[in-house]
Amino acid sequence: MTSVDLLGPDPIYQQIAAVITARIKDGTYPPNRQIPSEAAICDEFDVSRKTAREAVRALREAGLVRTVRGKGTYVLGPDQD
C-alpha cells in the first residue's frame, strides 16, 4: 500500500492524484491504458470512495485522463484531450 500523509497540509485526494500523475509521467500507466479503478485506489491508499473519486476528478481536470462510462479511466496521450 502506498501511503499518504494524513497529517500533512495537502488534501489526501491531491496527494493521491500526485502519486498517479508521477506514475503516468514515468510510464507505469502509459497512454491509452487504464489507471486503477476507484475501488483499487481505495484499497491501495486506504481511503473512501469519495476521496478516490476526487483524485480521479483532479486528474481529469489536469487533462491527464479521461473517463469512459462503463469502461474506466484512461491515460491521455500527448496529442489527446
Side-chain angles (χ1 to χ4, degrees):
M1 175 177 12
T2 303
S3 63
V4 292
D5 184 2
L6 298 176
L7 301 176
D10 296 325
I12 296 170
Y13 79 90
Q14 287 180 348
Q15 294 178 53
I16 294 169
V19 169
I20 295 172
T21 296
R23 292 176 183 172
I24 290 169
K25 291 184 181 197
D26 75 11
T28 301
Y29 306 136
N32 298 314
R33 296 295 175 254
Q34 283 183 295
I35 64 168
S37 66
E38 287 178 2
I41 292 170
C42 291
D43 289 342
E44 179 178 351
F45 295 96
D46 194 25
V47 296
S48 71
R49 186 67 153 235
K50 180 180 179 201
T51 300
R53 192 170 293 127
E54 286 292 310
V56 172
R57 181 190 55 76
L59 293 167
R60 248 192 333 270
E61 288 178 356
L64 296 172
V65 299
R66 73 181 177 114
T67 300
V68 179
R69 189 172 187 87
K71 290 195 77 175
T73 301
Y74 293 82
V75 176
L76 292 173
D79 58 345
Q80 296 174 306
D81 52 12

